[in-house]
Amino acid sequence: MRIDILTLFPEMFASPLNCSILKRAQERGLVAISLVNIRDFTTDKYRKVDDKPYGGGPGMVMMPGPLFDCAEFVDRLGPERGRVILLTPQGERFTQAKARELAQESRLVLIAGRYEGFDERIRIGLGAEPLSIGDYVLNGGELAAMVVVDAVVRLLPGALGDEDSAKDDSFSEALLEYPQYTRPEVFRDMKVPEILLSGDHAKIAQWRRQQALERTRQWRPDLLETGDRERKGESDDGTARPDQRQAAAEES
Ligand code: 6GU
């Protein structure tokens, strides 16, 4: 996979891209990530990338010129055009399902902006899909772009060790995970639940499922609501995955 990130702050990406799984994935050749500074495509002496909104209103808007020139330059860096994603709070919500979908692509172009927003012709003219990472406002799209890169790259075959990949099964977002414990057995008077030391694997599995349901009910009841297919982990044809049916049965 090739990922090009168009940004006004390429330096923000240095640390996240050069640690841990993302670093290893690049070293292994699973993904090539390039950072391109939008400001390098300005033509005026002030290197201006934003301007006041037509019609009035607060804030500044990203101008189409530098971004078009930047995107057209980036197009030529790879053999095919790639899917263009516009990071903006005015977008479709990024989910695990979307991460899986993007992980199938051979090329992604991520546009991270600043200011109040993008001139609408950027989305239209570049065929960019607006994507938001959640219902809150960030100072810019950079952190959101990093979130997308992180979630997508870890899904590329070979990015995770065997140990980690087991956790990433297709039901990973259907319920919250059960609580985990490791050594020591007693820590500051807090004991590991007896059942986990019992060696009874059937009982342990039952306990974990019940715990997963309980904490989902407490902290993410929306995941248990009907009519929310994607996060409930239902398949595209609307039928429940086997794991889901079991969870629903236990719930009732
Ligand atoms: Cl993609 N950008 C900004 N600026 N804020 C956000 C976001 C993106 N997603 C959630 N909040």
Side-chain angles (χ1 to χ4, degrees):
M1 174 182 273
R2 180 188 171 94
I3 304 177
D4 295 277
I5 304 172
L6 283 53
T7 171
L8 290 166
F9 297 99
E11 66 274 19
M12 279 183 74
F13 293 82
S15 177
L17 295 182
N18 291 302
C19 295
S20 185
I21 308 269
L22 291 182
K23 180 187 186 182
R24 206 173 57 192
Q26 291 171 91
E27 285 169 354
R28 286 178 177 172
L30 304 177
V31 62
I33 304 175
S34 89
L35 292 159
V36 186
N37 193 333
I38 299 165
R39 207 177 289 280
D40 290 344
F41 295 84
T42 52
T43 49
D44 67 310
K45 78 172 184 189
Y46 302 104
R47 309 190 80 200
K48 193 174 157 72
V49 292
D50 63 319
D51 208 333
K52 290 174 296 199
Y54 276 119
M60 299 290 268
V61 175
M62 297 271 290
M63 296 155 60
L67 251 172
F68 268 65
D69 288 345
C70 185
E72 281 158 9
F73 167 81
V74 161
D75 273 351
R76 295 192 290 271
L77 298 177
E80 85 263 66
R81 173 113 210 283
R83 200 151 153 190
V84 183
I85 307 288
L86 191 64
L87 281 313
T88 164
Q90 271 72 48
E92 181 187 333
R93 178 96 69 93
F94 185 59
T95 59
Q96 189 64 26
K98 195 74 183 178
R100 276 191 226 111
E101 181 189 319
L102 296 180
Q104 304 301 311
E105 302 286 333
S106 54
R107 186 167 185 204
L108 297 175
V109 174
L110 305 181
I111 303 175
R114 285 266 148 176
Y115 314 111
E116 296 303 301
F118 297 93
D119 184 301
E120 185 65 5
R121 291 164 294 188
I122 292 166
R123 181 184 67 77
I124 296 167
L126 297 178
E129 307 167 47
L131 202 60
S132 161
I133 63 163
D135 296 339
Y136 39 81
V137 180
L138 301 170
N139 291 314
E142 296 82 9
L143 290 169
M146 288 181 230
V147 166
V148 171
V149 168
D150 192 281
V152 168
V153 169
R154 69 192 298 285
L155 296 178
L156 301 179
L160 302 179
D162 282 348
E163 234 177 283
D164 305 312
S165 54
K167 277 183 104 178
D168 194 67
D169 66 20
S170 53
F171 311 120
S172 54
E173 73 277 30
L175 291 178
L176 300 186
E177 292 238 348
Y178 51 78
Q180 299 272 24
Y181 292 86
T182 186
R183 289 192 286 186
E185 212 177 297
V186 181
F187 177 73
R188 301 203 180 178
D189 292 336
M190 294 180 281
K191 239 190 136 294
V192 173
E194 208 61 57
I195 190 143
L196 298 177
L197 312 172
S198 70
D200 185 337
H201 296 295
K203 275 265 159 56
I204 290 170
Q206 192 183 19
W207 179 84
R208 284 177 164 169
R209 169 154 287 280
Q210 174 221 318
Q211 290 285 315
L213 270 167
E214 191 42 56
R215 46 179 54 200
T216 306
R217 207 175 270 135
Q218 183 174 359
W219 292 316
R220 291 296 305 278
D222 56 301
L223 296 181
L224 297 170
E225 277 157 26
T226 52
D228 197 349
R229 291 200 313 143
E230 181 182 24
R231 278 174 301 165
K232 287 232 355 150
E234 289 177 6
S235 59
D236 286 342
D237 64 7
T239 57
R241 292 175 186 161
D243 189 74
Q244 232 33 75
R245 281 194 290 265
Q246 199 184 336
E250 282 171 47
E251 200 192 338
S252 55

